[in-house]
Amino acid sequence: MEDNSEKTEAETFLKSLLNKNLRIYTTDGRLFIGTFKCVDPNSNVVLSLTYEYRQPSAQKLAAAAASASSDADADTVTADMTSRYLGLVVVPGKHIVKMEAEEFSSQAKSRSILERRDIYGNR
């Protein structure tokens, strides 16, 4: 019975994420940002309106380091991630390292109010 309640809780949580923006980090260092649409039994995640971000190549990092070393005041080296629009994607569950839901403070406030209603009932 306890296993069934965990499954129900997991389904409820996933349903709460539907149509929310997620950030998914993968084992190869890529980052996918898109709208959560569904997940399958193998933990593959489907995102729509997705952008992929990649770490800069070694060549770009070397060029950024060279330009930073010419500037005497620079203490750090910065290089932008490369990005591209992908649209609808399936991210294999076995390659997902971390998932984050994008939430604005206004969404968090309204969610916390709803959670208190669930706990304390309608007063």
Side-chain angles (χ1 to χ4, degrees), residues 6-19:
E6 287 179 9
K7 182 179 178 184
T8 304
E9 184 179 341
E11 287 176 359
T12 303
F13 177 72
L14 286 173
K15 286 179 183 177
S16 76
L17 294 177
L18 284 174
N19 297 315

Side-chain angles (χ1 to χ4, degrees), residues 5-117:
S5 67
E6 287 179 9
K7 182 179 178 184
T8 304
E9 184 179 341
E11 287 176 359
T12 303
F13 177 72
L14 286 173
K15 286 179 183 177
S16 76
L17 294 177
L18 284 174
N19 297 315
K20 297 233 169 100
N21 288 334
L22 294 185
R23 290 186 206 107
I24 298 180
Y25 298 85
T26 59
T27 54
D28 61 0
R30 290 184 291 171
L31 166 64
F32 295 93
I33 300 177
T35 305
F36 177 62
K37 291 300 176 183
C38 68
V39 65
D40 68 9
N42 297 323
S43 300
N44 300 317
V45 175
V46 177
L47 298 175
S48 67
L49 306 172
T50 306
Y51 284 86
E52 173 196 48
Y53 295 88
R54 290 179 175 263
Q55 297 295 329
S57 65
Q59 183 180 9
K60 286 186 180 180
L61 285 174
S67 67
S69 66
S70 65
D71 185 9
D73 295 333
D75 290 336
T76 60
V77 175
T78 59
D80 292 330
M81 295 178 82
T82 58
S83 67
R84 64 181 177 158
Y85 178 74
L86 299 176
L88 190 67
V89 298
V90 177
V91 183
K94 67 181 181 180
H95 294 295
I96 295 174
V97 175
K98 180 170 70 168
M99 289 175 46
E100 298 174 338
E102 187 175 272
E103 186 171 60
F104 299 102
S105 60
S106 61
Q107 292 170 319
K109 286 177 188 173
S110 66
R111 183 175 46 84
S112 66
I113 290 167
L114 293 173
E115 287 173 353
R116 282 185 288 202
R117 276 194 202 138

